Amino acid sequence: MLADVPVPAVLDHPPDAPLPENDKQLLAFRFTGSGAEYFRIWVVNLLLSLATFGIYTAWAKVRRLQYFDRNTLLAGASFDFHGQPKAILRGRLVAVALLASYQYAIGFSARAGLAVATTLLLATPFLMRGALRFRLAHTSYRAIAFAFSGSVARAYRTYMAPAILFVLPGVMIAVFGEAAWTMLALLLYVAWPVMFAQMKRYQFGEVRYGDLASSTSLPLHGFVGIYLLGALLLAAGCAAVLLLGLGTALLHIVPSDERTSELVLGAVVLGAAIIAYLLLGPYQQARVFNLCLARTSFPGARFVSTLRVWPYMRLQSKNMALTILSLGLYRPFAVVSAYRYRMEHLALDCDGGIDSILAGTHRPQGAVGDGATDFFGIDLSW
């Protein structure tokens, strides 16, 4: 599918019915899975992953992707995933080896740590592109495979800056110590909305379905606005939590001593984290989902995304509460409910219907899932 996630409210007619004024069809995505079904898959995946010390997670990922893709329908047909677990396992072994070597090198010497960090930086864009190619090359709809056509050069232009952003602060602290000036590297996070916009342009603008290529026009100001409003939302929530904590201390609801101050501070930090998860996370997910899908199209087909922020926040709040109360057992139900909500608010607007789109789509040579993947066909995504 186009989104690794993956009937909108605007549908007042059957999803496959043509719109007479312009001979178009608004086709709704539909998810037919259930929390109970996925719970059984999730439990088996969890137990086998624990029993094999994580090795089975590669097979668990394939089962998960197949379940969600095969239960996602568009115009009566489902998507499918054909990836091989061994390719995913190879990718995870490579990722673990790289991270372990980085940790060991940092402890051995600053020069060795810097050398390994440089290797990680240079490899990250190439590996990120390979993960996108792997995911799409092994995803199909009506026996026609997707593909990712982004170039290696553009991958480096897109992912090198974010890679530096995540690695640089840790490297500076490891090499120069925890001096105050090393924290200046954190100021680079101000540029994150711009980097994120470039990544989304690359991910959504280089997709192919058969021989049909996607196009996208994602505006930079849209991502900046999302992050600015998200920051204000987070600041307001954290301020409310902070005032509540200070008010509790000032009113002497509990005895005021050093232990109490630590508890109040811990409660404030925990409250801020919860606010970030329940407010900032769903807000940004919904806004980014709508922005990316609404600005992405294929020849003769456009996405319609009507995901609403506040209902999605309420849904994720309920999911978090039930997951905590059930000690994690509600997690698969939460995943299914969030995915179903996204699909219920996603549709495809087709010129002349889906059959006219498929009639102009030719299947590339090779079987479904045979698309070339980088780094000997491994996948580093989790």
Side-chain angles (χ1 to χ4, degrees), residues 2-50:
L2 184 61
D4 193 10
V5 245
V7 182
V10 297
L11 287 180
D12 296 322
H13 54 277
D16 294 340
L19 301 179
E21 67 273 15
N22 53 12
D23 192 28
K24 295 182 180 180
Q25 282 187 334
L26 194 59
L27 306 174
F29 285 79
R30 187 163 62 93
F31 181 66
T32 60
S34 68
E37 288 179 347
Y38 183 55
F39 179 81
R40 293 191 290 269
I41 296 174
W42 178 81
V43 167
V44 173
N45 285 344
L46 177 62
L47 294 177
L48 290 178
S49 297
L50 292 174

mmCIF file of all heavy atoms in Angstrom, residues 2-50:
data_model
loop_
_atom_site.group_PDB
_atom_site.id
_atom_site.type_symbol
_atom_site.label_atom_id
_atom_site.label_comp_id
_atom_site.label_asym_id
_atom_site.label_seq_id
_atom_site.Cartn_x
_atom_site.Cartn_y
_atom_site.Cartn_z
ATOM 1 N N LEU A 2 0.278 2.414 -0.350
ATOM 2 C CA LEU A 2 1.041 3.645 -0.404
ATOM 3 C C LEU A 2 1.480 4.066 0.979
ATOM 4 O O LEU A 2 2.579 4.561 1.181
ATOM 5 C CB LEU A 2 0.185 4.733 -1.054
ATOM 6 C CG LEU A 2 0.859 6.086 -1.287
ATOM 7 C CD1 LEU A 2 2.035 5.918 -2.208
ATOM 8 C CD2 LEU A 2 -0.115 7.093 -1.825
ATOM 9 N N ALA A 3 0.644 3.901 1.956
ATOM 10 C CA ALA A 3 0.990 4.251 3.331
ATOM 11 C C ALA A 3 1.104 2.995 4.159
ATOM 12 O O ALA A 3 0.253 2.128 4.082
ATOM 13 C CB ALA A 3 -0.063 5.171 3.921
ATOM 14 N N ASP A 4 2.197 2.966 4.887
ATOM 15 C CA ASP A 4 2.434 1.811 5.754
ATOM 16 C C ASP A 4 1.528 1.928 6.968
ATOM 17 O O ASP A 4 1.997 1.933 8.076
ATOM 18 C CB ASP A 4 3.910 1.749 6.097
ATOM 19 C CG ASP A 4 4.301 0.438 6.720
ATOM 20 O OD1 ASP A 4 3.515 -0.493 6.724
ATOM 21 O OD2 ASP A 4 5.437 0.392 7.199
ATOM 22 N N VAL A 5 0.495 2.062 6.888
ATOM 23 C CA VAL A 5 -0.467 2.156 7.894
ATOM 24 C C VAL A 5 -1.513 1.136 7.594
ATOM 25 O O VAL A 5 -1.804 1.075 6.444
ATOM 26 C CB VAL A 5 -1.026 3.601 7.929
ATOM 27 C CG1 VAL A 5 -0.774 4.259 9.013
ATOM 28 C CG2 VAL A 5 -0.848 4.446 6.716
ATOM 29 N N PRO A 6 -1.377 2.615 5.594
ATOM 30 C CA PRO A 6 -1.807 1.588 5.190
ATOM 31 C C PRO A 6 -1.010 1.406 4.363
ATOM 32 O O PRO A 6 -0.305 0.085 4.409
ATOM 33 C CB PRO A 6 -2.193 2.735 4.780
ATOM 34 C CG PRO A 6 -2.020 3.629 4.563
ATOM 35 C CD PRO A 6 -1.941 2.907 5.075
ATOM 36 N N VAL A 7 -15.569 4.259 5.067
ATOM 37 C CA VAL A 7 -16.201 5.117 4.084
ATOM 38 C C VAL A 7 -16.121 6.538 4.586
ATOM 39 O O VAL A 7 -16.517 6.845 5.692
ATOM 40 C CB VAL A 7 -17.684 4.740 3.840
ATOM 41 C CG1 VAL A 7 -18.312 5.605 2.778
ATOM 42 C CG2 VAL A 7 -17.805 3.280 3.506
ATOM 43 N N PRO A 8 -15.206 7.396 3.879
ATOM 44 C CA PRO A 8 -15.064 8.746 4.358
ATOM 45 C C PRO A 8 -16.396 9.433 4.582
ATOM 46 O O PRO A 8 -17.414 9.064 4.006
ATOM 47 C CB PRO A 8 -14.269 9.441 3.256
ATOM 48 C CG PRO A 8 -14.434 8.595 2.054
ATOM 49 C CD PRO A 8 -14.680 7.214 2.538
ATOM 50 N N ALA A 9 -16.388 10.457 5.433
ATOM 51 C CA ALA A 9 -17.626 11.133 5.793
ATOM 52 C C ALA A 9 -18.280 11.809 4.595
ATOM 53 O O ALA A 9 -19.473 12.088 4.616
ATOM 54 C CB ALA A 9 -17.352 12.163 6.887
ATOM 55 N N VAL A 10 -17.527 12.095 3.541
ATOM 56 C CA VAL A 10 -18.085 12.788 2.393
ATOM 57 C C VAL A 10 -18.918 11.860 1.515
ATOM 58 O O VAL A 10 -19.593 12.311 0.595
ATOM 59 C CB VAL A 10 -16.974 13.421 1.534
ATOM 60 C CG1 VAL A 10 -16.237 14.471 2.345
ATOM 61 C CG2 VAL A 10 -16.004 12.363 1.048
ATOM 62 N N LEU A 11 -18.920 10.563 1.786
ATOM 63 C CA LEU A 11 -19.664 9.622 0.954
ATOM 64 C C LEU A 11 -21.124 9.599 1.366
ATOM 65 O O LEU A 11 -21.466 9.209 2.469
ATOM 66 C CB LEU A 11 -19.077 8.217 1.071
ATOM 67 C CG LEU A 11 -17.739 7.984 0.368
ATOM 68 C CD1 LEU A 11 -17.290 6.554 0.582
ATOM 69 C CD2 LEU A 11 -17.837 8.285 -1.104
ATOM 70 N N ASP A 12 -22.001 10.039 0.477
ATOM 71 C CA ASP A 12 -23.434 9.967 0.713
ATOM 72 C C ASP A 12 -24.097 9.033 -0.289
ATOM 73 O O ASP A 12 -25.303 9.096 -0.510
ATOM 74 C CB ASP A 12 -24.056 11.368 0.589
ATOM 75 C CG ASP A 12 -23.542 12.305 1.653
ATOM 76 O OD1 ASP A 12 -23.350 11.843 2.789
ATOM 77 O OD2 ASP A 12 -23.325 13.491 1.346
ATOM 78 N N HIS A 13 -23.299 8.162 -0.918
ATOM 79 C CA HIS A 13 -23.791 7.256 -1.933
ATOM 80 C C HIS A 13 -22.944 6.003 -1.872
ATOM 81 O O HIS A 13 -21.897 5.989 -1.249
ATOM 82 C CB HIS A 13 -23.694 7.914 -3.317
ATOM 83 C CG HIS A 13 -22.321 8.409 -3.631
ATOM 84 N ND1 HIS A 13 -21.854 9.633 -3.195
ATOM 85 C CD2 HIS A 13 -21.287 7.830 -4.278
ATOM 86 C CE1 HIS A 13 -20.607 9.799 -3.587
ATOM 87 N NE2 HIS A 13 -20.239 8.712 -4.238
ATOM 88 N N PRO A 14 -23.382 4.921 -2.485
ATOM 89 C CA PRO A 14 -22.558 3.704 -2.477
ATOM 90 C C PRO A 14 -21.172 3.987 -3.002
ATOM 91 O O PRO A 14 -20.991 4.733 -3.980
ATOM 92 C CB PRO A 14 -23.331 2.748 -3.401
ATOM 93 C CG PRO A 14 -24.744 3.237 -3.319
ATOM 94 C CD PRO A 14 -24.654 4.734 -3.170
ATOM 95 N N PRO A 15 -20.142 3.414 -2.377
ATOM 96 C CA PRO A 15 -18.774 3.769 -2.750
ATOM 97 C C PRO A 15 -18.397 3.455 -4.174
ATOM 98 O O PRO A 15 -17.514 4.087 -4.724
ATOM 99 C CB PRO A 15 -17.921 2.961 -1.761
ATOM 100 C CG PRO A 15 -18.822 1.868 -1.268
ATOM 101 C CD PRO A 15 -20.196 2.443 -1.284
ATOM 102 N N ASP A 16 -19.045 2.483 -4.786
ATOM 103 C CA ASP A 16 -18.705 2.127 -6.165
ATOM 104 C C ASP A 16 -19.608 2.810 -7.190
ATOM 105 O O ASP A 16 -19.490 2.549 -8.372
ATOM 106 C CB ASP A 16 -18.800 0.607 -6.353
ATOM 107 C CG ASP A 16 -17.741 -0.108 -5.540
ATOM 108 O OD1 ASP A 16 -16.757 0.549 -5.182
ATOM 109 O OD2 ASP A 16 -17.916 -1.307 -5.263
ATOM 110 N N ALA A 17 -20.540 3.654 -6.723
ATOM 111 C CA ALA A 17 -21.475 4.292 -7.648
ATOM 112 C C ALA A 17 -20.808 5.470 -8.338
ATOM 113 O O ALA A 17 -20.095 6.246 -7.700
ATOM 114 C CB ALA A 17 -22.716 4.777 -6.900
ATOM 115 N N PRO A 18 -21.011 5.630 -9.656
ATOM 116 C CA PRO A 18 -20.374 6.752 -10.357
ATOM 117 C C PRO A 18 -21.017 8.076 -9.988
ATOM 118 O O PRO A 18 -22.197 8.148 -9.661
ATOM 119 C CB PRO A 18 -20.607 6.407 -11.836
ATOM 120 C CG PRO A 18 -21.841 5.576 -11.833
ATOM 121 C CD PRO A 18 -21.807 4.791 -10.562
ATOM 122 N N LEU A 19 -20.235 9.122 -10.016
ATOM 123 C CA LEU A 19 -20.756 10.461 -9.830
ATOM 124 C C LEU A 19 -21.166 10.996 -11.202
ATOM 125 O O LEU A 19 -20.329 11.201 -12.066
ATOM 126 C CB LEU A 19 -19.680 11.363 -9.213
ATOM 127 C CG LEU A 19 -19.151 10.900 -7.852
ATOM 128 C CD1 LEU A 19 -18.081 11.862 -7.358
ATOM 129 C CD2 LEU A 19 -20.272 10.787 -6.844
ATOM 130 N N PRO A 20 -22.465 11.212 -11.444
ATOM 131 C CA PRO A 20 -22.941 11.471 -12.801
ATOM 132 C C PRO A 20 -22.425 12.757 -13.406
ATOM 133 O O PRO A 20 -22.279 12.861 -14.605
ATOM 134 C CB PRO A 20 -24.472 11.507 -12.616
ATOM 135 C CG PRO A 20 -24.671 11.849 -11.172
ATOM 136 C CD PRO A 20 -23.539 11.207 -10.453
ATOM 137 N N GLU A 21 -22.137 13.796 -12.565
ATOM 138 C CA GLU A 21 -21.797 15.064 -13.163
ATOM 139 C C GLU A 21 -20.429 15.047 -13.843
ATOM 140 O O GLU A 21 -20.159 15.850 -14.717
ATOM 141 C CB GLU A 21 -21.848 16.188 -12.107
ATOM 142 C CG GLU A 21 -20.777 16.087 -11.030
ATOM 143 C CD GLU A 21 -21.197 15.208 -9.878
ATOM 144 O OE1 GLU A 21 -22.181 14.466 -10.041
ATOM 145 O OE2 GLU A 21 -20.545 15.269 -8.822
ATOM 146 N N ASN A 22 -19.521 14.166 -13.447
ATOM 147 C CA ASN A 22 -18.206 14.172 -14.085
ATOM 148 C C ASN A 22 -17.687 12.776 -14.357
ATOM 149 O O ASN A 22 -16.503 12.596 -14.591
ATOM 150 C CB ASN A 22 -17.207 14.946 -13.215
ATOM 151 C CG ASN A 22 -17.192 14.436 -11.789
ATOM 152 O OD1 ASN A 22 -17.753 13.375 -11.502
ATOM 153 N ND2 ASN A 22 -16.551 15.190 -10.904
ATOM 154 N N ASP A 23 -18.558 11.796 -14.311
ATOM 155 C CA ASP A 23 -18.202 10.416 -14.639
ATOM 156 C C ASP A 23 -17.009 9.948 -13.817
ATOM 157 O O ASP A 23 -16.051 9.402 -14.342
ATOM 158 C CB ASP A 23 -17.903 10.299 -16.134
ATOM 159 C CG ASP A 23 -17.828 8.831 -16.576
ATOM 160 O OD1 ASP A 23 -18.495 8.005 -15.929
ATOM 161 O OD2 ASP A 23 -17.108 8.538 -17.539
ATOM 162 N N LYS A 24 -17.095 10.165 -12.509
ATOM 163 C CA LYS A 24 -16.055 9.713 -11.612
ATOM 164 C C LYS A 24 -16.631 8.740 -10.602
ATOM 165 O O LYS A 24 -17.834 8.669 -10.415
ATOM 166 C CB LYS A 24 -15.414 10.897 -10.870
ATOM 167 C CG LYS A 24 -14.675 11.874 -11.759
ATOM 168 C CD LYS A 24 -14.046 12.966 -10.922
ATOM 169 C CE LYS A 24 -13.290 13.951 -11.797
ATOM 170 N NZ LYS A 24 -12.663 15.035 -10.981
ATOM 171 N N GLN A 25 -15.734 8.003 -9.964
ATOM 172 C CA GLN A 25 -16.122 7.114 -8.876
ATOM 173 C C GLN A 25 -15.314 7.462 -7.643
ATOM 174 O O GLN A 25 -14.099 7.656 -7.727
ATOM 175 C CB GLN A 25 -15.885 5.653 -9.242
ATOM 176 C CG GLN A 25 -16.947 5.052 -10.167
ATOM 177 C CD GLN A 25 -16.740 3.563 -10.360
ATOM 178 O OE1 GLN A 25 -15.631 3.087 -10.242
ATOM 179 N NE2 GLN A 25 -17.807 2.835 -10.634
ATOM 180 N N LEU A 26 -16.004 7.536 -6.530
ATOM 181 C CA LEU A 26 -15.333 7.737 -5.256
ATOM 182 C C LEU A 26 -15.351 6.405 -4.532
ATOM 183 O O LEU A 26 -16.372 5.972 -4.000
ATOM 184 C CB LEU A 26 -16.053 8.810 -4.436
ATOM 185 C CG LEU A 26 -15.298 9.360 -3.227
ATOM 186 C CD1 LEU A 26 -13.981 9.980 -3.655
ATOM 187 C CD2 LEU A 26 -16.146 10.391 -2.485
ATOM 188 N N LEU A 27 -14.209 5.723 -4.542
ATOM 189 C CA LEU A 27 -14.113 4.373 -4.009
ATOM 190 C C LEU A 27 -13.565 4.408 -2.589
ATOM 191 O O LEU A 27 -12.483 4.953 -2.343
ATOM 192 C CB LEU A 27 -13.191 3.519 -4.895
ATOM 193 C CG LEU A 27 -13.538 3.482 -6.382
ATOM 194 C CD1 LEU A 27 -12.472 2.719 -7.151
ATOM 195 C CD2 LEU A 27 -14.908 2.851 -6.588
ATOM 196 N N ALA A 28 -14.306 3.828 -1.666
ATOM 197 C CA ALA A 28 -13.896 3.847 -0.266
ATOM 198 C C ALA A 28 -12.974 2.680 0.057
ATOM 199 O O ALA A 28 -13.190 1.561 -0.407
ATOM 200 C CB ALA A 28 -15.129 3.781 0.639
ATOM 201 N N PHE A 29 -11.943 2.943 0.836
ATOM 202 C CA PHE A 29 -11.146 1.866 1.412
ATOM 203 C C PHE A 29 -11.940 1.244 2.555
ATOM 204 O O PHE A 29 -12.693 1.930 3.255
ATOM 205 C CB PHE A 29 -9.812 2.404 1.947
ATOM 206 C CG PHE A 29 -8.813 2.733 0.878
ATOM 207 C CD1 PHE A 29 -8.900 3.916 0.155
ATOM 208 C CD2 PHE A 29 -7.772 1.857 0.588
ATOM 209 C CE1 PHE A 29 -7.974 4.223 -0.832
ATOM 210 C CE2 PHE A 29 -6.836 2.151 -0.394
ATOM 211 C CZ PHE A 29 -6.945 3.336 -1.110
ATOM 212 N N ARG A 30 -11.765 -0.047 2.730
ATOM 213 C CA ARG A 30 -12.513 -0.730 3.786
ATOM 214 C C ARG A 30 -11.627 -1.788 4.429
ATOM 215 O O ARG A 30 -10.885 -2.497 3.745
ATOM 216 C CB ARG A 30 -13.763 -1.393 3.191
ATOM 217 C CG ARG A 30 -14.721 -1.988 4.223
ATOM 218 C CD ARG A 30 -16.091 -2.222 3.592
ATOM 219 N NE ARG A 30 -16.029 -3.175 2.502
ATOM 220 C CZ ARG A 30 -16.233 -4.496 2.654
ATOM 221 N NH1 ARG A 30 -16.498 -4.986 3.860
ATOM 222 N NH2 ARG A 30 -16.174 -5.297 1.627
ATOM 223 N N PHE A 31 -11.693 -1.869 5.757
ATOM 224 C CA PHE A 31 -10.912 -2.862 6.491
ATOM 225 C C PHE A 31 -11.860 -3.881 7.090
ATOM 226 O O PHE A 31 -12.793 -3.541 7.820
ATOM 227 C CB PHE A 31 -10.092 -2.191 7.597
ATOM 228 C CG PHE A 31 -9.241 -3.155 8.374
ATOM 229 C CD1 PHE A 31 -8.181 -3.819 7.768
ATOM 230 C CD2 PHE A 31 -9.515 -3.421 9.709
ATOM 231 C CE1 PHE A 31 -7.398 -4.719 8.478
ATOM 232 C CE2 PHE A 31 -8.736 -4.313 10.427
ATOM 233 C CZ PHE A 31 -7.679 -4.967 9.814
ATOM 234 N N THR A 32 -11.641 -5.160 6.777
ATOM 235 C CA THR A 32 -12.558 -6.217 7.202
ATOM 236 C C THR A 32 -12.049 -7.019 8.385
ATOM 237 O O THR A 32 -12.713 -7.948 8.830
ATOM 238 C CB THR A 32 -12.822 -7.175 6.023
ATOM 239 O OG1 THR A 32 -11.578 -7.753 5.591
ATOM 240 C CG2 THR A 32 -13.469 -6.438 4.862
ATOM 241 N N GLY A 33 -10.867 -6.702 8.895
ATOM 242 C CA GLY A 33 -10.327 -7.441 10.025
ATOM 243 C C GLY A 33 -10.999 -7.055 11.332
ATOM 244 O O GLY A 33 -11.796 -6.116 11.404
ATOM 245 N N SER A 34 -10.654 -7.756 12.388
ATOM 246 C CA SER A 34 -11.215 -7.490 13.706
ATOM 247 C C SER A 34 -10.121 -7.601 14.761
ATOM 248 O O SER A 34 -9.090 -8.256 14.555
ATOM 249 C CB SER A 34 -12.337 -8.474 14.026
ATOM 250 O OG SER A 34 -11.823 -9.781 14.200
ATOM 251 N N GLY A 35 -10.376 -6.963 15.893
ATOM 252 C CA GLY A 35 -9.422 -7.031 16.981
ATOM 253 C C GLY A 35 -9.225 -8.438 17.503
ATOM 254 O O GLY A 35 -8.111 -8.829 17.869
ATOM 255 N N ALA A 36 -10.311 -9.216 17.561
ATOM 256 C CA ALA A 36 -10.213 -10.588 18.066
ATOM 257 C C ALA A 36 -9.332 -11.449 17.165
ATOM 258 O O ALA A 36 -8.525 -12.255 17.648
ATOM 259 C CB ALA A 36 -11.610 -11.194 18.177
ATOM 260 N N GLU A 37 -9.478 -11.278 15.839
ATOM 261 C CA GLU A 37 -8.636 -12.044 14.912
ATOM 262 C C GLU A 37 -7.169 -11.657 15.061
ATOM 263 O O GLU A 37 -6.289 -12.519 15.135
ATOM 264 C CB GLU A 37 -9.093 -11.799 13.478
ATOM 265 C CG GLU A 37 -10.409 -12.453 13.105
ATOM 266 C CD GLU A 37 -10.801 -12.144 11.675
ATOM 267 O OE1 GLU A 37 -10.180 -11.237 11.071
ATOM 268 O OE2 GLU A 37 -11.715 -12.796 11.167
ATOM 269 N N TYR A 38 -6.923 -10.363 15.085
ATOM 270 C CA TYR A 38 -5.536 -9.916 15.175
ATOM 271 C C TYR A 38 -4.935 -10.243 16.542
ATOM 272 O O TYR A 38 -3.723 -10.454 16.644
ATOM 273 C CB TYR A 38 -5.449 -8.414 14.911
ATOM 274 C CG TYR A 38 -4.034 -7.899 14.929
ATOM 275 C CD1 TYR A 38 -3.061 -8.468 14.105
ATOM 276 C CD2 TYR A 38 -3.653 -6.860 15.766
ATOM 277 C CE1 TYR A 38 -1.750 -8.011 14.125
ATOM 278 C CE2 TYR A 38 -2.351 -6.398 15.791
ATOM 279 C CZ TYR A 38 -1.405 -6.975 14.970
ATOM 280 O OH TYR A 38 -0.111 -6.527 15.002
ATOM 281 N N PHE A 39 -5.766 -10.307 17.584
ATOM 282 C CA PHE A 39 -5.262 -10.666 18.909
ATOM 283 C C PHE A 39 -4.622 -12.050 18.886
ATOM 284 O O PHE A 39 -3.563 -12.263 19.490
ATOM 285 C CB PHE A 39 -6.407 -10.637 19.922
ATOM 286 C CG PHE A 39 -5.983 -11.032 21.318
ATOM 287 C CD1 PHE A 39 -5.362 -10.123 22.154
ATOM 288 C CD2 PHE A 39 -6.193 -12.326 21.778
ATOM 289 C CE1 PHE A 39 -4.959 -10.488 23.435
ATOM 290 C CE2 PHE A 39 -5.790 -12.704 23.050
ATOM 291 C CZ PHE A 39 -5.170 -11.772 23.880
ATOM 292 N N ARG A 40 -5.254 -12.986 18.187
ATOM 293 C CA ARG A 40 -4.692 -14.340 18.114
ATOM 294 C C ARG A 40 -3.345 -14.337 17.393
ATOM 295 O O ARG A 40 -2.399 -15.018 17.807
ATOM 296 C CB ARG A 40 -5.689 -15.276 17.422
ATOM 297 C CG ARG A 40 -6.960 -15.517 18.231
ATOM 298 C CD ARG A 40 -7.780 -16.644 17.636
ATOM 299 N NE ARG A 40 -8.384 -16.263 16.372
ATOM 300 C CZ ARG A 40 -9.592 -15.716 16.266
ATOM 301 N NH1 ARG A 40 -10.309 -15.467 17.365
ATOM 302 N NH2 ARG A 40 -10.098 -15.412 15.092
ATOM 303 N N ILE A 41 -3.248 -13.570 16.317
ATOM 304 C CA ILE A 41 -1.973 -13.469 15.598
ATOM 305 C C ILE A 41 -0.930 -12.793 16.481
ATOM 306 O O ILE A 41 0.225 -13.238 16.556
ATOM 307 C CB ILE A 41 -2.171 -12.677 14.287
ATOM 308 C CG1 ILE A 41 -3.110 -13.438 13.346
ATOM 309 C CG2 ILE A 41 -0.831 -12.398 13.601
ATOM 310 C CD1 ILE A 41 -3.472 -12.668 12.092
ATOM 311 N N TRP A 42 -1.332 -11.750 17.171
ATOM 312 C CA TRP A 42 -0.421 -10.974 18.009
ATOM 313 C C TRP A 42 0.125 -11.822 19.155
ATOM 314 O O TRP A 42 1.328 -11.756 19.461
ATOM 315 C CB TRP A 42 -1.170 -9.760 18.539
ATOM 316 C CG TRP A 42 -0.393 -8.882 19.466
ATOM 317 C CD1 TRP A 42 0.514 -7.917 19.122
ATOM 318 C CD2 TRP A 42 -0.458 -8.875 20.900
ATOM 319 N NE1 TRP A 42 1.015 -7.320 20.256
ATOM 320 C CE2 TRP A 42 0.434 -7.875 21.359
ATOM 321 C CE3 TRP A 42 -1.181 -9.606 21.832
ATOM 322 C CZ2 TRP A 42 0.620 -7.592 22.707
ATOM 323 C CZ3 TRP A 42 -1.007 -9.329 23.181
ATOM 324 C CH2 TRP A 42 -0.114 -8.344 23.605
ATOM 325 N N VAL A 43 -0.719 -12.614 19.788
ATOM 326 C CA VAL A 43 -0.284 -13.444 20.910
ATOM 327 C C VAL A 43 0.736 -14.477 20.442
ATOM 328 O O VAL A 43 1.790 -14.667 21.073
ATOM 329 C CB VAL A 43 -1.480 -14.130 21.587
ATOM 330 C CG1 VAL A 43 -1.016 -15.235 22.530
ATOM 331 C CG2 VAL A 43 -2.297 -13.110 22.354
ATOM 332 N N VAL A 44 0.447 -15.142 19.339
ATOM 333 C CA VAL A 44 1.377 -16.142 18.810
ATOM 334 C C VAL A 44 2.702 -15.476 18.431
ATOM 335 O O VAL A 44 3.787 -15.995 18.732
ATOM 336 C CB VAL A 44 0.760 -16.871 17.603
ATOM 337 C CG1 VAL A 44 1.791 -17.778 16.940
ATOM 338 C CG2 VAL A 44 -0.457 -17.683 18.038
ATOM 339 N N ASN A 45 2.618 -14.322 17.760
ATOM 340 C CA ASN A 45 3.844 -13.607 17.388
ATOM 341 C C ASN A 45 4.670 -13.241 18.617
ATOM 342 O O ASN A 45 5.905 -13.385 18.622
ATOM 343 C CB ASN A 45 3.488 -12.342 16.610
ATOM 344 C CG ASN A 45 3.041 -12.637 15.182
ATOM 345 O OD1 ASN A 45 3.258 -13.730 14.672
ATOM 346 N ND2 ASN A 45 2.416 -11.660 14.559
ATOM 347 N N LEU A 46 4.010 -12.772 19.653
ATOM 348 C CA LEU A 46 4.711 -12.355 20.860
ATOM 349 C C LEU A 46 5.389 -13.530 21.551
ATOM 350 O O LEU A 46 6.575 -13.464 21.914
ATOM 351 C CB LEU A 46 3.725 -11.672 21.816
ATOM 352 C CG LEU A 46 4.292 -11.227 23.170
ATOM 353 C CD1 LEU A 46 5.385 -10.189 22.977
ATOM 354 C CD2 LEU A 46 3.174 -10.689 24.057
ATOM 355 N N LEU A 47 4.654 -14.610 21.709
ATOM 356 C CA LEU A 47 5.198 -15.766 22.419
ATOM 357 C C LEU A 47 6.373 -16.383 21.652
ATOM 358 O O LEU A 47 7.408 -16.723 22.241
ATOM 359 C CB LEU A 47 4.102 -16.802 22.652
ATOM 360 C CG LEU A 47 2.970 -16.380 23.600
ATOM 361 C CD1 LEU A 47 1.916 -17.470 23.695
ATOM 362 C CD2 LEU A 47 3.525 -16.037 24.981
ATOM 363 N N LEU A 48 6.223 -16.527 20.337
ATOM 364 C CA LEU A 48 7.306 -17.118 19.544
ATOM 365 C C LEU A 48 8.518 -16.188 19.464
ATOM 366 O O LEU A 48 9.657 -16.651 19.419
ATOM 367 C CB LEU A 48 6.800 -17.460 18.143
ATOM 368 C CG LEU A 48 5.802 -18.621 18.067
ATOM 369 C CD1 LEU A 48 5.330 -18.824 16.645
ATOM 370 C CD2 LEU A 48 6.431 -19.910 18.608
ATOM 371 N N SER A 49 8.279 -14.881 19.454
ATOM 372 C CA SER A 49 9.398 -13.937 19.438
ATOM 373 C C SER A 49 10.183 -14.015 20.738
ATOM 374 O O SER A 49 11.428 -13.989 20.739
ATOM 375 C CB SER A 49 8.885 -12.510 19.222
ATOM 376 O OG SER A 49 8.261 -12.388 17.954
ATOM 377 N N LEU A 50 9.475 -14.138 21.864
ATOM 378 C CA LEU A 50 10.155 -14.272 23.152
ATOM 379 C C LEU A 50 10.903 -15.603 23.237
ATOM 380 O O LEU A 50 12.030 -15.661 23.737
ATOM 381 C CB LEU A 50 9.143 -14.161 24.292
ATOM 382 C CG LEU A 50 8.488 -12.782 24.485
ATOM 383 C CD1 LEU A 50 7.398 -12.862 25.545
ATOM 384 C CD2 LEU A 50 9.528 -11.733 24.863
#
